[in-house]
Amino acid sequence: MRKTKWFDFRNFLYNSSSTSSMKPRPIAAYSFVPFSPVAMLDPTILTIGGVVLGIAFIEQILSRWGVIDLADQFEKVMRFILPVTFYGALFYFFATFMF
């Protein structure tokens, strides 16, 4: 229990106290943004993204060269691989990231 201090009103109003009556308490501050965008430069995520972009680039080249059948096969594969890769990389990022 704290000890109560009594002050005369005139002394309180005209004489500022040199010491604080309350001790400062440490405040635990937490950040709402726990990660830096630099953390996205993980080599594993960059490698996975590079492979996916490379396959998409090859598909575009094949369609420009007129090899439509092979480009369609790449498209069917990419329709499955892109969402799986995205969610896998997202899971990997949050599983290995130190909060």
Side-chain angles (χ1 to χ4, degrees):
M1 186 137 183
R2 293 185 184 174
K3 188 176 181 181
T4 306
K5 293 184 180 181
W6 293 94
F7 294 102
D8 185 20
F9 181 72
R10 286 186 182 155
N11 289 337
F12 176 75
L13 197 59
Y14 295 114
N15 295 332
S16 62
S17 176
S18 61
T19 60
S20 175
S21 61
M22 305 248 336
K23 293 181 181 177
R25 295 181 190 176
I27 298 173
Y30 298 99
S31 173
F32 291 110
V33 183
F35 60 89
S36 168
V38 178
M40 291 287 198
L41 297 176
D42 184 25
T44 305
I45 292 178
L46 289 176
T47 304
I48 292 170
V51 169
V52 170
L53 285 176
I55 292 173
F57 186 66
I58 290 171
E59 178 189 350
Q60 290 296 319
I61 289 174
L62 288 174
S63 65
R64 287 186 187 185
W65 285 351
V67 189
I68 303 299
D69 294 335
L70 195 54
D72 285 339
Q73 293 298 324
F74 269 98
E75 180 191 358
K76 288 177 185 175
V77 171
M78 290 301 288
R79 192 178 297 162
F80 174 74
I81 288 179
L82 279 175
V84 170
T85 305
F86 172 75
Y87 289 116
L90 193 67
F91 176 76
Y92 171 81
F93 174 72
F94 285 114
T96 59
F97 184 70
M98 297 294 179
F99 284 99

